[in-house]
């Protein structure tokens, strides 16, 4: 397949190349529930951290459910991904389909509202998962843009998607919180290296293809610096699909659990993957999108202040 | 060898056991250059962080020398330890013997003064090294007490030793700074597991024997919490030989270089190792101690405040 004219081509050339993103970060004008300054912060920095959006009681409920799913109850074996060095479950996928309370969460106006507002209209869940990052054993996630993979391996045409990470544990400086390069969402890094067949089997454990070169990362960090949004469980982190992020390993005794949802615009439905290979399985990349309906009216504002 | 009456026995039973340390942390009364509150902080927390003790010009000089040594100039091959997954040099040992400027540094009153004061009298260097923790690739050091190894494998009788880490890069929340459990130096963890022959060859790359169990670590962290002293290059971290510490991997582009010196009391000279095995080689554990003489008079005070 010749994708040499695709702007978001990657894994083709022999040189890692950083280009300006021609598409917007915020796709909707105004709206609610995010205030104009929250939307502006998201546009500029590529993320928004909303502290303590969920109550402790809600967090408890989601944690109990997460443990039930990680135990394999009601999920397919392929929904479970384990740590590279052990049998400990690292992620459970497709939770919005196998769990009624996570299905409800993605349609909760506190999550769905900002997603619809920032992406400008109807959205669906491209991927959902719980990340269970245990104490002592949690391994690193190296630097990457999610969109690079979702474009190349899943066929999402444009960066009109965002992630919402719901913190189910306190995030602190010790337990390997997500680190982001604020502003990096406005560039796009065309990485080097061929995509191996069934790349997802390896990349879910440790991603080695589709990652920017160390030179590119060094340039990005000099330009944008790093931020690690931290806060109590129940906080949420919204971030653009093209924001460069990663997280260090967690040797601390504190676990770092989160639920993770990818909202994609209904105007950005997947096409054939740009690898020329078969699409990734549906537990990783939805290919039969149904727009999300809110479980309750979307409120007119989100009270929490954006992360400084 | 029967060491069942040795208070600091370890790696013998089948249960990890935490006991109160009967020996002091601060071995000298009063004195200088540390102020009484600095000495008290060290006693209680097990560490002292002295910000910007060396000038930027000094740091530059030590970094240039570090790179020269890491390149193999004037050092023995065994002085060099590489990263577990690559050929990148992680540590250079014996630097106070192969480098005149590091020899001078260990006799600098800013380092030697506090060491003599806290250990109560004459000291020598049990071990010296540069740690070069590169950006992107720096691997974790798991939780451990240095004294456990120095007692069991090197034969240091009592915890009358301390480490001084000289920061040669800025330490921030992103580049895997040392994390300590403040107060843990007052307990001693008898670990489980036999010491393999020539354990140091593996343990310098990744320590797996002589580390506390996850249950013991969880208890310690609940009791003491975690602190990661951070600050600009030129700062120094003094810490007790029995303080539990570790550091996460460094996926950030920022390197984390440091020079590291173990000062041991001349009244705590090594005996036969408690493993029953041959002592570790002299690049790791000095067996021919000569007391350090200061290069200049020891000042009557250290101006920097202890880390909060």
């Amino acid at each position: 397949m010749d994708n040499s004219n695709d702007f978001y081509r990657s894994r083709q050339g022999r040189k890692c190349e950083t280009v300006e993103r021609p598409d917007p970060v915020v796709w909707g004008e105004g709206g609610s529930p995010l205030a104009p300054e929250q939307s502006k912060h998201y546009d500029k920095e590529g993320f928004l951290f909303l502290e303590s959006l969920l109550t402790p009681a809600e967090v408890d409920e989601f944690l109990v459910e997460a443990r039930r799913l990680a135990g394999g109850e009601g999920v397919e074996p392929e929904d479970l991904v384990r740590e590279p060095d052990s049998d400990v479950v690292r992620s459970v996928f497709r939770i919005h389909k196998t769990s009624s309370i996570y299905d409800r969460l993605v349609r909760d106006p506190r999550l769905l509202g900002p997603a619809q507002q920032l992406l400008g209209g109807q959205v669906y869940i491209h991927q959902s998962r719980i990340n269970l990052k245990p104490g002592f054993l949690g391994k690193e996630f190296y630097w990457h843009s999610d969109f690079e993979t979702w474009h190349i391996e899943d066929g999402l045409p444009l960066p009109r998607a965002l992630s919402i990470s719901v913190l189910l544990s306190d995030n602190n400086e010790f337990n390997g919180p997500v680190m982001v390069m604020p502003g990096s969402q406005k560039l796009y890094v065309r990485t080097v290296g061929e995509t191996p067949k069934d790349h997802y089997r390896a990349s879910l454990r440790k991603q080695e293809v589709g990652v920017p070169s160390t030179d590119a990362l060094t340039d990005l960090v000099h330009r944008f610096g790093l931020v690690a949004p931290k806060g109590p469980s129940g906080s949420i982190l919204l971030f653009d699909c093209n924001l460069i992020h990663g997280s260090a390993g967690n040797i601390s005794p504190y676990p770092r659990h989160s639920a993770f949802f990818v909202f994609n615009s209904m105007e950005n439905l997947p096409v054939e993957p740009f690898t020329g290979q078969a699409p990734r399985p549906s537990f990783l990349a939805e290919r039969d999108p149904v727009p999300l309906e809110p479980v309750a009216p979307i409120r007119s504002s989100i009270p929490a202040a954006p992360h400084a």
Side-chain angles (χ1 to χ4, degrees), chain A:
Chain A
M1 185 163 44
D2 179 16
N3 292 314
S4 52
N5 287 326
D6 171 31
F7 181 82
Y8 294 108
R9 64 189 178 272
S10 188
R11 310 184 193 180
Q12 294 195 328
R14 268 177 294 179
K15 206 170 135 264
C16 188
E17 198 182 7
T18 301
V19 292
E20 299 254 347
R21 165 182 176 162
D23 291 300
V25 173
V26 175
W27 293 75
E29 287 288 325
S32 63
L34 297 176
E37 64 270 21
Q38 289 176 312
S39 170
K40 203 168 160 187
H41 181 281
Y42 178 88
D43 179 50
K44 180 163 178 270
E45 308 289 338
F47 74 97
L48 204 52
F49 188 79
L50 303 172
E51 205 166 300
S52 303
L53 200 68
L54 307 187
T55 67
E58 287 178 303
V59 169
D60 284 348
E61 191 186 9
F62 290 125
L63 268 178
V64 168
E65 181 75 348
R67 291 198 184 101
R68 190 181 72 82
L69 297 168
E73 213 177 309
V75 303
E76 300 294 323
E78 69 172 3
D79 293 340
L80 302 176
V81 173
R82 297 170 196 280
E83 291 282 342
D85 302 339
S86 71
D87 270 345
V88 175
V89 171
R90 172 186 191 142
S91 302
V92 185
F93 282 84
R94 250 179 16 120
I95 55 171
H96 72 296
K97 293 205 168 172
T98 56
S99 159
S100 60
I101 74 164
Y102 281 112
D103 167 51
R104 198 182 156 85
L105 181 59
V106 297
R107 294 182 296 114
D108 187 305
R110 291 171 293 180
L111 274 65
L112 182 55
Q116 288 182 337
Q117 182 182 352
L118 294 169
L119 299 178
Q122 287 202 308
V123 297
Y124 71 98
I125 297 295
H126 175 66
Q127 184 192 99
S128 71
R129 65 174 189 262
I130 296 160
N131 286 330
L132 296 166
K133 199 160 179 177
F136 300 114
L137 286 173
K139 295 298 173 201
E140 69 186 41
F141 282 81
Y142 196 69
W143 304 104
H144 64 287
S145 149
D146 291 323
F147 174 66
E148 196 267 358
T149 293
W150 300 339
H151 179 69
I152 299 301
E153 300 193 21
D154 300 338
L156 294 200
L158 297 180
R160 191 168 178 175
L162 60 78
S163 296
I164 296 186
S165 174
V166 178
L167 276 57
L168 299 178
S169 315
D170 297 348
N171 268 15
N172 57 43
E173 68 179 289
F174 307 114
N175 63 354
V178 171
M179 302 182 281
V180 309
M181 301 190 186
S184 63
Q185 79 282 0
K186 298 212 174 181
L187 302 179
Y188 180 74
V189 183
R190 295 173 181 151
T191 70
V192 298
E194 291 275 308
T195 310
K197 195 160 176 293
D198 289 342
H199 177 232
Y200 70 92
R201 291 185 201 276
S203 72
L204 289 179
R205 290 179 153 222
K206 185 169 184 175
Q207 184 170 359
E208 286 173 344
V209 172
V211 300
S213 68
T214 54
D215 283 352
L217 290 168
T218 302
D219 285 349
L220 288 170
V221 103
H222 283 153
R223 182 155 168 190
F224 297 116
L226 290 177
V227 172
K230 294 179 288 291
S233 64
S235 304
I236 75 167
L237 174 66
L238 288 94
F239 59 103
D240 179 81
C241 59
N242 189 46
L243 185 70
I244 301 283
H245 63 288
S247 62
N250 178 17
I251 70 164
S252 90
Y254 310 124
R256 193 169 69 75
H257 304 322
S258 59
F260 183 85
F261 305 102
V262 181
F263 293 81
N264 187 36
S265 167
M266 284 300 289
E267 294 171 53
N268 192 39
L269 300 186
V271 297
E272 287 303 300
F274 292 81
T275 50
Q277 299 178 14
R280 297 196 300 173
S282 63
F283 77 94
L284 285 175
E286 182 61 66
R287 298 199 79 81
D288 189 14
V290 178
L292 293 173
E293 295 298 334
V295 289
I298 288 180
R299 286 185 301 173
S300 64
S301 73
I302 290 275
H307 189 266

